[in-house]
Amino acid sequence: MIRIFVTGGTFDKTYDQISGRLVFGDTHLPEMLNLGRSRVEVSIRTLMMVDSLDMADGDRELIVRHCRQCEESRIVITHGTDTMVETARALAAGVADKTIVLTGAMVPYAFGSSDGLFNLGSALSFAQTLPWGVYIAMNGQHFAWDRVRKNKSTGIFEALTDET
Amino acid sequence: MIRIFVTGGTFDKTYDQISGRLVFGDTHLPEMLNLGRSRVEVSIRTLMMVDSLDMADGDRELIVRHCRQCEESRIVITHGTDTMVETARALAAGVADKTIVLTGAMVPYAFGSSDGLFNLGSALSFAQTLPWGVYIAMNGQHFAWDRVRKNKSTGIFEALTDET
Amino acid sequence: MIRIFVTGGTFDKTYDQISGRLVFGDTHLPEMLNLGRSRVEVSIRTLMMVDSLDMADGDRELIVRHCRQCEESRIVITHGTDTMVETARALAAGVADKTIVLTGAMVPYAFGSSDGLFNLGSALSFAQTLPWGVYIAMNGQHFAWDRVRKNKSTGIFEALTDET
Amino acid sequence: MIRIFVTGGTFDKTYDQISGRLVFGDTHLPEMLNLGRSRVEVSIRTLMMVDSLDMADGDRELIVRHCRQCEESRIVITHGTDTMVETARALAAGVADKTIVLTGAMVPYAFGSSDGLFNLGSALSFAQTLPWGVYIAMNGQHFAWDRVRKNKSTGIFEALTDET
């Protein structure tokens, strides 16, 4: 059984046709798992629906607490990409003996050109196979929480090397 | 570096608007990896483009030979679902010391409702993390080649238990 | 009020993931009108769900009878493209004082690359504005029933000229 | 031959994955006409790429001038929905003896759930059949420029009656 915590981010943004803006509604996770014909046993819980740039310390504490307290030892978190690494760091400091995989999307799932479904398949798979630790799964790759950064100009997650 | 071998299957079927039939054209793999913003280093080679029900022994021998001879030790194979388990068995008998993950789709990628992108993200991730062996990755799950069967009436891959 | 008669055709084919074949299920018309945010008052009735190559004389008589007897004087018919012209001819012989527009699709609506939504918007608009007569609306164009043929090798509907 | 003038609006907005915002890039018109297998002879010109709330008097004068001066007597204009009626009024005052149809979308074409393709098929069809005048084509319907308003709370274009 894998626990999925939803926190918002680009992944779950949708287009509001009255205001003409990107907004949060309900999470697309169940629809996406259905599209992927996923048979992985999951339990989904929405913790918040925020842009990760708007995520406050209290939000991160809430995420850490839920990851620590939930029964499941394998966890996927959907999260905005901008501060994903920061939340991963908080999780590494606060949760032991679990495999936690953060993922997100560069383009909202509701857009035809979204990477969301690919990333979800990837994150769920890494969560089943990686040893205890906190990871980021993006671009088909996985990175330990302290070995990665988001390149703000390309939008790509890059491995940190010792020289970096 | 992951080697991807394309063999056809539902995954890569496309609609021919003149004949009104589902046919094979070029593989959608590069387009799908692009959509998923994949940064995994891959080398793609199309071995055949067949419906897996039409796959002959010679086709399986070809797949085994390519998996044995290629430089890469981590391999993803896209394959029709109907005889995926049979090909997995041939690979287990013929290839040692490599991680080989077979995947496919229940609905062609070119359809809006395809599970293909989810499965590709999943298979690429399992291929990076599972120990040597031959696996099937479908429905977000992975199965050792000798512990799985496709349920023909539901289209779902199911784990074989000792009692089965 | 526009009457819409559904007869099947490529338009409404869907992919059956168990058999791996294109089959007919329920019509996609309500979903498509919803996607197009259509506010045209319509009344939809499925007369049959057949490939137009399988359409028999009795099927055409049924279509003609429904068009003649329905209250609405403006009608859209979704129809397979292969024998659309033949049905249009039967309608021209059997129905007077109504505007009837036949349309269809080269690619099933359920495919990402379908022309169905474009054609539906087009057919509904022609049905509101063209004078009494029987027309085919495809490729953004309209043709009188006796001035058009489907080019079997390109899939395009072409105007017949006097020299043809 | 139909002239298509592109002015921007929701229709052509796309998602910028670096900034996370909806922006204008190139118009999607050619791609959409291709998807619709349109065989209507068109000549496309982008006049501007703006949100219609940001459209200034000078922009409207430019649109009017292009419609008056172009050779074609049948014109489709893609336009943001918020001030579409205002531009229609300017066109009615400034252009005679042409059929001009304004259309747009409530959801960007690049989103899976867009009404854009339906509206484009509809607008092109109305442009071919309506008598000289300035019209708005939305929701599968057409309205004379002085008989319509956009309902801001529902996003739907509604006919004005004499009592309104």
Side-chain angles (χ1 to χ4, degrees):
Chain A
M1 169 76 90
I2 293 182
R3 168 65 75 160
I4 302 181
F5 288 127
V6 173
T7 73
T10 296
F11 203 82
D12 261 334
K13 279 195 179 156
T14 192
Y15 186 79
D16 176 53
Q17 59 182 52
I18 303 305
S19 70
R21 284 206 288 258
L22 293 166
V23 297
F24 289 114
D26 287 338
T27 178
H28 297 88
L29 253 293
E31 180 186 334
M32 294 170 76
L33 292 170
N34 192 45
L35 186 59
R37 275 84 176 152
S38 179
R39 302 287 295 175
V40 181
E41 274 191 82
V42 298
S43 158
I44 302 172
R45 175 153 179 192
T46 300
L47 296 184
M48 61 200 72
M49 268 294 184
V50 298
D51 201 312
S52 81
L53 287 173
D54 299 333
M55 206 176 262
D57 286 350
D59 295 321
R60 289 204 169 80
E61 284 165 27
L62 183 78
I63 297 170
V64 169
R65 193 164 63 244
H66 272 93
C67 287
R68 200 189 300 132
Q69 293 175 351
C70 72
E71 283 182 22
E72 297 82 359
S73 57
R74 297 189 174 274
I75 301 169
V76 168
I77 302 174
T78 64
H79 196 288
T81 58
D82 284 319
T83 69
M84 195 183 276
V85 175
E86 204 173 324
T87 301
R89 190 182 308 123
L91 285 161
V95 188
D97 298 345
K98 299 206 175 186
T99 294
I100 302 177
V101 179
L102 294 97
T103 194
M106 288 305 293
V107 172
Y109 169 67
F111 262 87
S113 59
S114 176
D115 51 340
L117 192 63
F118 179 86
N119 292 346
L120 181 60
S122 179
L124 272 177
S125 302
F126 283 132
Q128 292 171 66
T129 50
L130 288 171
W132 291 168
V134 178
Y135 308 89
I136 281 175
M138 288 290 291
N139 310 120
Q141 301 178 302
H142 67 284
F143 306 92
W145 67 273
D146 57 348
R147 312 298 286 171
V148 62
R149 67 167 177 196
K150 181 184 173 188
N151 183 321
K152 304 281 185 197
S153 59
T154 63
I156 291 165
F157 281 78
E158 299 171 338
L160 289 180
T161 57
D162 288 336
E163 295 79 34
T164 312
Chain B
M1 169 76 90
I2 292 182
R3 167 66 75 158
I4 302 181
F5 288 126
V6 173
T7 73
T10 295
F11 202 82
D12 260 334
K13 278 196 180 155
T14 191
Y15 186 80
D16 177 53
Q17 61 182 54
I18 303 305
S19 70
R21 282 207 288 260
L22 292 167
V23 297
F24 290 114
D26 287 338
T27 179
H28 297 88
L29 253 294
E31 179 186 335
M32 292 169 77
L33 292 170
N34 192 46
L35 186 59
R37 275 82 177 154
S38 178
R39 303 287 295 175
V40 181
E41 274 191 83
V42 297
S43 158
I44 303 172
R45 175 152 179 194
T46 300
L47 297 184
M48 61 200 73
M49 267 295 183
V50 298
D51 200 310
S52 80
L53 288 172
D54 299 333
M55 206 176 262
D57 286 350
D59 295 321
R60 290 205 168 80
E61 285 166 27
L62 184 78
I63 296 170
V64 170
R65 196 164 61 245
H66 272 93
C67 286
R68 201 189 299 130
Q69 292 175 352
C70 72
E71 284 182 21
E72 297 83 359
S73 57
R74 297 188 174 274
I75 301 169
V76 167
I77 302 175
T78 64
H79 196 287
T81 57
D82 284 318
T83 69
M84 194 182 276
V85 175
E86 206 174 321
T87 301
R89 190 182 309 123
L91 285 162
V95 189
D97 297 347
K98 298 207 174 187
T99 293
I100 303 177
V101 178
L102 294 97
T103 195
M106 288 306 293
V107 172
Y109 170 66
F111 263 87
S113 58
S114 177
D115 50 340
L117 192 64
F118 179 85
N119 291 347
L120 182 60
S122 177
L124 273 178
S125 302
F126 282 132
Q128 293 172 66
T129 50
L130 287 170
W132 292 169
V134 178
Y135 308 89
I136 281 175
M138 288 291 291
N139 308 120
Q141 300 178 303
H142 67 284
F143 306 92
W145 66 273
D146 56 350
R147 311 300 284 171
V148 63
R149 67 168 177 195
K150 181 184 172 187
N151 183 322
K152 305 281 184 196
S153 58
T154 63
I156 292 166
F157 282 78
E158 300 172 338
L160 290 179
T161 57
D162 289 335
E163 295 79 34
T164 312
Chain C
M1 169 76 88
I2 292 182
R3 167 65 75 159
I4 301 181
F5 287 126
V6 172
T7 73
T10 295
F11 202 81
D12 260 334
K13 278 195 179 155
T14 191
Y15 187 79
D16 176 52
Q17 60 183 51
I18 303 306
S19 71
R21 283 207 288 261
L22 293 166
V23 298
F24 290 114
D26 287 339
T27 179
H28 298 87
L29 253 293
E31 180 186 334
M32 293 169 76
L33 291 170
N34 193 44
L35 186 58
R37 276 81 177 156
S38 178
R39 302 288 294 176
V40 181
E41 274 190 83
V42 297
S43 157
I44 302 173
R45 175 152 179 193
T46 299
L47 296 184
M48 61 200 73
M49 267 294 183
V50 298
D51 200 310
S52 80
L53 288 173
D54 299 333
M55 207 177 260
D57 286 351
D59 294 322
R60 290 206 167 79
E61 285 166 26
L62 184 78
I63 296 171
V64 169
R65 195 164 62 243
H66 272 94
C67 286
R68 200 189 299 131
Q69 292 175 352
C70 73
E71 283 182 20
E72 297 83 0
S73 56
R74 298 187 174 275
I75 301 169
V76 167
I77 301 174
T78 63
H79 196 287
T81 57
D82 284 318
T83 68
M84 194 183 276
V85 175
E86 205 175 322
T87 301
R89 190 182 309 122
L91 285 162
V95 188
D97 297 347
K98 298 206 175 186
T99 293
I100 303 178
V101 179
L102 293 97
T103 195
M106 288 306 292
V107 172
Y109 170 66
F111 263 87
S113 59
S114 177
D115 50 339
L117 193 64
F118 180 85
N119 292 347
L120 182 60
S122 178
L124 272 178
S125 302
F126 282 133
Q128 292 172 65
T129 50
L130 287 170
W132 292 168
V134 178
Y135 307 89
I136 280 174
M138 287 290 292
N139 309 120
Q141 301 178 303
H142 67 284
F143 307 93
W145 66 274
D146 56 349
R147 312 299 285 171
V148 63
R149 66 167 176 197
K150 182 184 172 188
N151 183 320
K152 304 281 185 197
S153 59
T154 62
I156 291 166
F157 281 78
E158 299 171 338
L160 290 179
T161 57
D162 289 336
E163 295 79 33
T164 312
Chain D
M1 170 73 92
I2 293 182
R3 168 65 76 160
I4 302 180
F5 287 126
V6 173
T7 72
T10 296
F11 203 82
D12 261 333
K13 278 194 181 157
T14 192
Y15 187 78
D16 176 54
Q17 59 183 52
I18 302 305
S19 71
R21 283 206 287 258
L22 293 165
V23 298
F24 290 114
D26 287 339
T27 178
H28 297 89
L29 253 294
E31 179 186 336
M32 293 170 76
L33 292 171
N34 193 46
L35 186 60
R37 275 81 176 155
S38 179
R39 303 287 295 175
V40 181
E41 275 190 80
V42 298
S43 159
I44 302 172
R45 177 154 179 191
T46 300
L47 297 183
M48 61 200 73
M49 267 295 183
V50 298
D51 201 311
S52 81
L53 288 173
D54 299 333
M55 206 176 261
D57 287 350
D59 295 321
R60 289 204 168 81
E61 284 165 27
L62 184 79
I63 297 170
V64 170
R65 193 163 65 243
H66 273 93
C67 286
R68 200 189 298 131
Q69 292 175 352
C70 72
E71 283 183 20
E72 297 83 0
S73 57
R74 295 187 176 276
I75 301 168
V76 168
I77 301 174
T78 63
H79 196 288
T81 57
D82 284 318
T83 68
M84 194 183 275
V85 174
E86 205 173 322
T87 301
R89 190 183 308 123
L91 285 161
V95 188
D97 298 345
K98 298 206 175 188
T99 294
I100 302 176
V101 178
L102 294 97
T103 194
M106 288 306 292
V107 172
Y109 169 67
F111 262 88
S113 59
S114 177
D115 51 339
L117 193 64
F118 179 86
N119 291 346
L120 182 60
S122 178
L124 272 177
S125 302
F126 282 133
Q128 292 171 65
T129 50
L130 287 170
W132 292 168
V134 178
Y135 307 89
I136 281 174
M138 288 292 290
N139 309 120
Q141 301 178 302
H142 67 284
F143 306 92
W145 66 273
D146 56 349
R147 312 298 286 172
V148 62
R149 67 167 176 194
K150 181 184 173 188
N151 183 320
K152 304 281 185 197
S153 59
T154 63
I156 291 166
F157 281 78
E158 299 171 339
L160 290 179
T161 57
D162 288 336
E163 296 79 35
T164 312

